[in-house]
C-alpha cells in the first residue's frame, strides 16, 4: 500500500539478499559483505622507501613488473625499513598503502594483506627481515602478498 509509505533504512552500505514470502507476509534480509571496489587502473607501479633498492629517491623509484592488467610484482632484495608504492612519481599523488599502519613484512609474509589507494594518511609497510622477496600487489582484489625467498 502507498500510505503510510514505510521504507527500509540501511545503515551499512553493502550487498544484501532480501527474501520476501508474499503468502506468509514475511521477509528476511541478510548482509552479504562490502560493495565491490573498482579496480585500481594503472600502467606502472613504483616502490619507494628505506627498504626499497633505491630508497626514498622518487625520481629513481624501483619499477614493479606488470604481470597482468591489475597485478604487479617485484622480485629482489628488500632492506629493513619502510616501503610504499605509487603510480606516478609525485609525492602528492595517491599511494598504495597498507590498510593498517606499520603492517609488518616478515619471512612469514604479511598478516593483513589488505591495501588502500589514497593520499593519506601516510601509512607504510615495515620490512622487518631483510632478504630476497617476491612482493605481489593485486589492484583488483586490493591485496598484497609477500613471499620470503631467502638471504
Amino acid at each position: 500500500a502507498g500510505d503510510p509509505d514505510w521504507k527500509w533504512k540501511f545503515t551499512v552500505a553493502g550487498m544484501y539478499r532480501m527474501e520476501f514470502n508474499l503468502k506468509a507476509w514475511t521477509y528476511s534480509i541478510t548482509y552479504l559483505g562490502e560493495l565491490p571496489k573498482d579496480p585500481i587502473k594503472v600502467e606502472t607501479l613504483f616502490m619507494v622507501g628505506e627498504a626499497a633498492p633505491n630508497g626514498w629517491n622518487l625520481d629513481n623509484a624501483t619499477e614493479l613488473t606488470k604481470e597482468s592488467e591489475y597485478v604487479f610484482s617485484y622480485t629482489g632484495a628488500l632492506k629493513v625499513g619502510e616501503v610504499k608504492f605509487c603510480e606516478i612519481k609525485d609525492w602528492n599523488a595517491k599511494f598504495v598503502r597498507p590498510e593498517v599502519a606499520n603492517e609488518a613484512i616478515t619471512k612469514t609474509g604479511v598478516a593483513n594483506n589488505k591495501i588502500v589507494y589514497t593520499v593519506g594518511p601516510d601509512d607504510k609497510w615495515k620490512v622487518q627481515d631483510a632478504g630476497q622477496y617476491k612482493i605481489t600487489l593485486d589492484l583488483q582484489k586490493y591485496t598484497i602478498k609477500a613471499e620470503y625467498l631467502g638471504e
Side-chain angles (χ1 to χ4, degrees):
D3 189 23
D5 188 12
W6 293 333
K7 300 168 183 68
W8 283 275
K9 182 177 182 178
F10 292 90
T11 58
V12 176
M15 296 186 308
Y16 291 84
R17 177 181 19 255
M18 299 176 71
E19 297 177 6
F20 298 90
N21 182 329
L22 301 178
K23 187 173 183 177
W25 290 83
T26 61
Y27 68 92
S28 68
I29 301 174
T30 307
Y31 177 72
L32 300 176
E34 294 180 358
L35 291 169
K37 297 177 185 175
D38 291 333
I40 303 166
K41 295 180 183 181
V42 299
E43 290 303 314
T44 56
L45 205 59
F46 299 96
M47 175 175 46
V48 293
E50 59 203 10
N54 298 320
W56 288 109
N57 183 345
L58 190 58
D59 291 333
N60 197 24
T62 303
E63 187 170 354
L64 279 71
T65 301
K66 187 172 185 175
E67 294 187 6
S68 67
E69 187 174 5
Y70 300 111
V71 177
F72 291 80
S73 70
Y74 165 77
T75 302
L78 291 178
K79 302 171 231 164
V80 171
E82 297 176 329
V83 67
K84 61 183 179 176
F85 305 88
C86 59
E87 169 195 5
I88 59 174
K89 296 177 180 181
D90 178 351
W91 291 115
N92 297 312
K94 288 183 177 180
F95 276 76
V96 175
R97 305 171 188 277
E99 182 181 64
V100 176
N102 302 315
E103 179 64 40
I105 294 176
T106 66
K107 291 178 181 179
T108 59
V110 179
N112 180 348
N113 72 338
K114 301 293 185 195
I115 66 169
V116 295
Y117 187 53
T118 183
V119 173
D122 191 19
D123 294 332
K124 301 164 209 72
W125 285 274
K126 293 217 174 198
V127 177
Q128 296 189 355
D129 300 311
Q132 299 292 315
Y133 284 86
K134 179 171 184 184
I135 303 293
T136 306
L137 292 155
D138 187 324
L139 304 183
Q140 184 172 27
K141 295 179 181 173
Y142 281 70
T143 59
I144 184 172
K145 181 178 181 184
E147 299 172 80
Y148 180 75
L149 305 175
E151 302 276 330

